[in-house]
Amino acid sequence: MHCRLFRYGIIVQALLPLVPASQSLFSKESLSLDSKVHDVLEHQTTKQPSCDQPVPTGPIDATTCQFEVLDEINPSLFETLHTLVATPFFKYFQADLYRECPFWDDHGSCSDPGCAITSVDERDVPERFRATALSKIGSPDRHELPGCYYRDSDFCFLDDNTEGEYYDLSLIPERYTGYSGKDAQAVWHSIYQENCFGISESNLISGKPVSAAIVPDTLASNDEDDTSQCLEKRVYYKIVSGLHASISTHICLEWLNQTTGEWQPNLQCFVNRIAAHPERLEYIYFNTVLLLRAVSRLSPYLSAYDYCSTGTHEDDLETRSKLDNVISIAQHAGRFDEAVLFRGDNANVLKEEFKTHFRNVTRIMDCIGCDKCRLWGKVQTTGVATALKILFELDERALDPNTNANLLQRSEVVALINTLHRFSESLNAVNTFRQMWSENDKKDDIIQEAHSTATGTKPQPSPRVGGREYETKLREACEHVLRVCRDSTLGCMAIFMQFWGKAVGVISSIFYGSSKAGGPLHGEL
């Protein structure tokens, strides 16, 4: 009874509007799944936020910006990106979807119609964007493999354009395909375990906040001797987990109703995969800031690029206008200080390890048995890898279009912008699910189902006690616990130990679903 009283007391507290300035917007330390779901789906965005506020109301780990800033600018960002990626330059992407998996023999295949995609005739692609018209830039540090290559500065393997077909990304939505089971799980298992530094998602959640650890000279701490956290490796897992969470959000946003045959948002899917694990939503925000920072740094190069596809330059002007809007937003919200990473005696060794791991992630995309999933996997891992190269490998001179006009392949530019669009759309989808949640009158059933998914057992519903007297007792109990914990650490620990015996099973099962071995989101694409 005490455990249940405390759990629902936390829910009442979560519904209150005040969020302490020093607390993360989506608390990682809530003791119940219920409060996590409420935190995510009932959050209200602060009006008129600014990256320059001296005390951020919701800091995004490892950045100098806030959740509220992205909430405020994302509608405009998403609208602009949504039209930009439909322009000729950004919608055509060449990929080899039939290269053999380099890591295991049988990677399975998806026979579901949702996995299939259709390529476009090369003649429909503007001639200047075709592989035959693009010069193959020689490089002394170019390392060749069958069908792909990488340069020393690359965080990914790039298709060499000798094979593969063209795809119109604007006609291939990223959504539910039915590709799941052991084949999909093998892909995520490989990404999280075989390419790991030894940190699981639960380690990341319970460890020291990255914002306080890796940016001591720009944020919260002056302790520059804290080298025990392998901080760059934590950032690596935020990147991978954020990518996984964004993919899952798209699956939930466009879910196939097997009964009606219609595509529609699936609120239960989003609660199970994201809202019940708020740290996953945090990672989507983190990746969005990372990508915006890359776009901001690349702005001189992007502004000088030739996007003309018809020869009239009208489409070039239209593309540039939209891209200028994106760059302006990126310069405002892309507050990520890349200079604080990869410092110290072992910086170069650590960076090479980081690059090697992420290159392997891009090669694992060849092991996905679903064509649509493989295509979007290639696009987005290439986009993130391009952002990483811009942030951690290229100095201002290298980014100068006058001295380095062939800095990036066209595929890298296309992938970068489309990946930013994917993450922006994920954040936009959160508002869709929040609206669905506010209009839903079966919230308890949704949370019960989320409990069942997280723990593997269906929890018994708590007995209903009506009237304001019960609500008053809940609030009084909650306030008592919070007051004790504020005034006395020992007293707080004593209360916590009373609840620990009953809560440990639930907490362990929740975090088990986020273990490194299986990946944080149960291995479905």
Side-chain angles (χ1 to χ4, degrees), residues 252-273:
C252 299
L253 180 64
E254 294 199 56
W255 185 274
L256 179 62
N257 187 318
Q258 303 285 351
T259 302
T260 65
E262 296 179 350
W263 296 95
Q264 59 191 38
N266 185 327
L267 178 60
Q268 186 69 65
C269 170
F270 181 77
V271 170
N272 292 353
R273 294 172 181 238

Side-chain angles (χ1 to χ4, degrees), residues 349-367:
V349 174
L350 187 58
K351 186 189 293 185
E352 287 306 312
E353 186 180 7
F354 195 109
K355 282 194 285 189
T356 299
H357 286 314
F358 206 82
R359 284 175 190 151
N360 282 342
V361 170
T362 65
R363 292 206 77 196
I364 289 172
M365 297 303 102
D366 286 324
C367 302

Side-chain angles (χ1 to χ4, degrees), residues 441-460:
D441 58 358
K442 297 183 178 180
K443 294 182 177 66
D444 288 344
D445 293 341
I446 292 175
I447 291 178
Q448 292 284 358
E449 179 61 30
H451 269 296
S452 179
T453 300
T455 65
T457 57
K458 194 75 171 182
Q460 295 298 317

